[in-house]
Structures are given as structure tokens and as C-alpha cells.
Amino acid sequence: MSDSVSNTTFSDRNSGKSDLINPTLVLNCGSSSIKYALISEDESTRITGLAENLGLDTARIKHTTLNGEKLEITIPGGRHELALQKILALLEQYHFVAVGHRVVHGGREYSKAVRVDAHVLEEVKRLKILAPLHNPANALGIEAVQAIYPDIPQVVVFDTAFHQTMPAVAYRYPIPKALYEEEKIRRYGFHGTSHAYVSERASHITTAKGPHGWLTAHLGNGCSAAAVYDGKSLDTSMGLTPLEGLMMGTRSGDVDPGLHIHLKRLLGMSLEEINDMLNNDSGLLGISGLSNDLRTIEQAANEGHVDAQLAIEIFCYRAGKYLASLSCALPEFTGIVFTGGIGENSVTTRARILDVMRHFGIKFSEDKNKSLFGGGEGSFHDEDSSIELWVIPTDEECQIAKETRQTLGF
Ligand code: ADP
């Protein structure tokens, strides 16, 4: 391990080392943040942290040690490389055996996680054409680890890979064929590690005989749904980019593709401005005019704020409508799995979405639904419901660590 970081001193450097056996480091390097988790081989112990505000003078690392101690470390200048060096220095003492990176786009080329080599790194960079904000930051993370720990094996786990099992009927857009063949314009889908994790977990805990057909609803700041049958994604709501599909915190989800030309003609907006508006000023924030945070909106709605009430209604209506349509992809419909910050916590959102799907013969217990929040896992359907209903907290870090170990044969 490199001496360039091993001399860095932090207050937790000598805290309990013993519980993290053969840990895998999971890195999620974004354009302005880096999330990380060090996860033991048996997945029972982890250290987590977040570097935020990268690129700004206010950049800092929020780190929780193995003993639960919280640290804040400033990153002068806010550079990504420096943040990564500091994170690696904090974790060095635990002798991680592998690094797994969340990479947003794997294009058509990657249908599973792969070990990093020079070619894979080049591919991650080349695919920035499909994920301009994310893939370059992901590549930076790979290079920073390579520079400090050239001997530690690294794996990339693509957000898109799980959805590569989608058939052409689900992934092609009805646009000229040449755009698919020459420019790779198709639906890819995202949140793959989350949909993989919760569908696998649901199949593990249900008593229903397999193969199982799940609709997985990942409702967080970003929202997507997937139809997963027998462990394979058959369709999903996000497309070429993570803008398609459900209404989200600040993203619109589906709009008429004619909106772009209309706004250009009407308001003289540029494509970049429209893209920015649809990604950052829309969704829950756009309709409510208040916030992208559902908790704030729910509170305002309860106090009579009409736009907040409408934001929730549209969110649930669109989610229910999408889930209903995605059920067409499943040969059998075993159940719905709710996950993500909203899916795991908002009892009323789950109930409203299911109300939109009222023709499906779904029956559930309000009390059981109310009991599931704050990290709880469980089902809330009635015995005579047509399908099962589950809340399963997602664990993308755990899934990435698992796929990293599997890829390396550990
Ligand atoms: P991200 O996509 O950034 O990982 P999360 O999965 O953490 O986001 O989800 C964030 C969303 O979850 C926010 O809209 C937040 O308001 C919502 N949320 C979290 N806890 C609750 C809660 N108790 N009730 C309602 N919404 C919640």
C-alpha cells in the first residue's frame, strides 16, 4: 500500500479493526459527491461515509467509524482526487481486498459486472457519451484507486447491466432503426443494483412457489420501476437516460417528446435549458413549488397546501399507472416490492399507489402497511390478495460488494 497516504492521521485510524474480515470497498463516485462503504465478507459489518460538495470550498467528508464515531474532514479546494485520497487513507487500516465501483452506464456492452483492466477503464470513459455527468466521475474513482493501490483488484458494477436481459420489444424505441444500430439509441434502464437486490431478496423471503414475477418500485429522489421475472429484468421505466418514466424528486419522468420543440418555439429555450428544467426543476419540486423532499410536501399537504396535494396525487397516479403497464411484461405476477426512501417510508404513498391499481384485486392490511417504515422489511398483503406486497429496504452497497466478490471469485 502506498506511503503517500499511509502517513495521513485521523482520529479513527486505530479504532477497532477486528470485525471487518476481508472487506470490500464500495465506491459510488458522482459528479459532486462520493459515497463509500467498507463491507465485511459476511456482509454483517460496515463503515460508511460520504464526501459532499465536491468542487466547492465547502467540500467535506462525513465519516462514521466502526465504533459509530462521526468525523467531519474538510477537503481544501474540493478536488475529487484529494477526497478519494482522504477516504482511502481513512480505510487503509482495514486492508480491503477488493474495490467495487458503481458505474452508471455500461451501454450495450456490459450485461454483468467486470474486473477492471485498461480496456474496461477506456470503455467506462468512452460511454460518457451516454452518461456525461456520471461516467467520467466513475472513471476518476477507478484511476485514483489504481494510482494508490495498483495491486488491489477493482470491479465495475453497472447500473444498466441488470436490465440488459430486456427483450427488444421493451428496449427499442419506435424510431428509425439506424439510430439504434449506429448510435445505440435504445432503452437501457438504471437503478439496476437496487432492482436486482430487492427482487432477489423478495424471492428469498416469499413462500410463493417460483419462478416469481415482481414489479419492483424504487421510489427515492430518483424513481424507477422494473418488471423482474425469474431473476431477469424484462422491462423498466427508465430509458436511454434516467429521465424517462416515473415522476421523481426533481425530474419530470415521461413528457410529450414534442414539448422540447414547443418550448423552443414558444419561449426560445435552448435544448440545454429544457433538459436542465426537466431534470432539476420538475417532478415533486416543480408541481409543489416547495421542495423535492416528500416529507416537506406531505407536511404542507396536510396543512392544506393545494399544490403539495396535487404533487402527491400526480406522483402516485403516475407510479400506479406505470406499475400497471409494467405488469404486461410479466408472465406471472407474484407481487410488488416497494423500496427507496419513499417506498420504504411513506405509508400513505404506498396506499395511494395501490389505490390507483384498484382493478387488480389487491388487498392489504392498513395496520401492516403502517408498521413498515424506517428500515423495516415485511409484507402487508392480505391472504386473499391477488398479489403479494412487500417493503424491502434496498442495499445497493451490499449488492455491489456481492457482485464484486463473485466477479473476482472470492
Ligand atoms: P436517493 O434517491 O437520493 O438515494 P432516497 O432513496 O434516500 O433518495 O429517498 C429520498 C426520498 O425519500 C425523499 O423524497 C424523502 O422525502 C423520502 N423519504 C424519506 N423518509 C421519508 C418518510 N419518513 N416519509 C416520507 N418520505 C420519506
Side-chain angles (χ1 to χ4, degrees):
M1 299 212 176
S2 162
D3 288 340
S4 63
V5 292
S6 60
N7 293 331
T8 317
T9 54
F10 294 99
S11 62
D12 76 328
R13 284 189 68 77
N14 294 314
S15 60
K17 301 176 185 180
S18 55
D19 297 323
L20 273 165
I21 311 288
N22 292 332
T24 298
L25 172 60
V26 176
L27 281 177
N28 181 354
C29 297
S31 51
S32 64
S33 70
I34 300 170
K35 282 189 195 157
Y36 58 93
L38 195 66
I39 302 182
S40 63
E41 193 175 41
D42 65 359
E43 296 168 6
S44 65
T45 313
R46 69 180 73 183
I47 292 174
T48 58
L50 167 73
E52 60 186 10
N53 298 345
L54 296 179
L56 304 173
D57 283 339
T58 52
R60 63 198 162 167
I61 297 170
K62 289 181 173 170
H63 180 81
T64 307
T65 70
L66 200 53
N67 303 332
E69 189 190 344
K70 307 251 187 232
L71 302 177
E72 271 206 23
I73 298 143
T74 54
I75 310 162
R79 281 180 45 244
H80 266 78
E81 289 89 342
L82 184 58
L84 271 162
Q85 281 171 12
K86 291 197 175 219
I87 291 167
L88 294 171
L90 279 165
L91 302 173
E92 185 182 55
Q93 60 178 307
Y94 300 105
H95 304 297
F96 44 91
V97 294
V99 182
H101 294 265
R102 178 186 185 196
V103 173
V104 166
H105 225 302
R108 281 191 302 200
E109 288 79 358
Y110 294 101
S111 55
K112 57 182 187 351
V114 284
R115 184 172 180 156
V116 173
D117 59 18
H119 172 71
V120 168
L121 179 57
E122 276 317 300
E123 287 287 283
V124 169
K125 290 183 185 170
R126 191 179 58 78
L127 288 165
K128 81 168 187 200
I129 184 87
L130 291 167
L133 288 181
H134 295 99
N135 273 36
N138 301 151
L140 219 102
I142 297 169
E143 286 175 323
V145 175
Q146 249 173 9
I148 301 173
Y149 303 114
D151 297 331
I152 293 191
Q154 301 194 68
V155 168
V156 285
V157 180
F158 299 99
D159 236 21
T160 49
F162 182 62
H163 300 300
Q164 281 294 303
T165 47
M166 285 195 291
V169 69
Y171 72 67
R172 285 285 294 274
Y173 288 113
I175 56 174
K177 189 177 174 185
L179 286 171
Y180 168 66
E181 290 183 337
E182 288 159 30
E183 310 298 340
K184 301 179 182 171
I185 306 298
R186 51 158 283 179
R187 305 183 65 250
Y188 289 96
F190 298 86
H191 287 148
T193 49
S194 178
H195 292 296
Y197 177 83
V198 298
S199 57
E200 198 179 312
R201 180 93 193 116
S203 283
H204 182 70
I205 52 186
T206 181
T207 54
K209 288 210 172 71
H212 304 120
W214 301 110
L215 292 183
T216 48
H218 178 111
L219 309 177
N221 260 318
C223 299
S224 70
V228 183
Y229 183 69
D230 201 14
K232 294 188 178 59
S233 171
L234 297 185
D235 199 354
T236 190
S237 60
M238 285 178 170
L240 173 72
T241 75
L243 184 56
E244 186 178 336
L246 308 181
M247 172 171 158
M248 314 183 205
T250 61
R251 279 174 259 171
S252 60
D254 288 352
V255 291
D256 181 345
L259 181 67
H260 292 72
I261 188 76
H262 182 72
L263 289 178
K264 182 175 180 296
R265 286 178 183 143
L266 189 72
L267 302 172
M269 286 173 80
S270 68
L271 281 179
E272 277 70 25
E273 284 170 334
I274 297 166
N275 189 50
D276 190 48
M277 179 272 288
L278 293 174
N279 275 290
N280 301 318
D281 302 328
S282 300
L284 287 170
L285 172 67
I287 303 276
S288 71
L290 286 177
S291 169
N292 62 326
D293 191 310
L294 185 67
R295 283 165 292 199
T296 309
I297 299 172
E298 280 183 344
Q299 194 182 334
N302 289 338
E303 289 161 5
H305 193 291
V306 174
D307 288 334
Q309 289 166 354
L310 184 63
I312 293 170
E313 267 178 54
I314 300 176
F315 182 90
C316 295
Y317 175 66
R318 287 191 162 225
K321 194 168 78 159
Y322 234 109
L323 287 169
S325 69
L326 278 173
S327 72
C328 301
L330 293 174
E332 276 170 76
F333 190 2
T334 311
I336 302 175
V337 185
F338 291 94
T339 195
I342 295 173
E344 291 164 29
N345 294 298
S346 180
V347 172
T348 50
T349 301
R350 292 194 296 255
R352 276 170 179 264
I353 291 172
L354 294 171
D355 186 48
V356 173
M357 301 178 76
R358 60 191 166 279
H359 302 302
F360 278 71
I362 299 169
K363 294 187 187 158
F364 67 92
S365 145
E366 276 184 34
D367 287 343
K368 275 203 239 163
N369 184 29
K370 274 188 197 147
S371 72
L372 289 166
F373 62 92
E377 176 185 270
S379 62
F380 60 103
H381 54 277
D382 287 341
E383 286 260 302
D384 59 344
S385 173
S386 58
I387 55 160
E388 299 187 356
L389 302 170
W390 289 89
V391 174
I392 299 182
T394 196
D395 194 343
E396 287 162 283
E397 286 82 13
C398 181
Q399 180 72 15
I400 292 170
K402 191 165 81 180
E403 290 188 30
T404 299
R405 289 195 305 272
Q406 280 168 353
T407 305
L408 296 171
F410 288 176

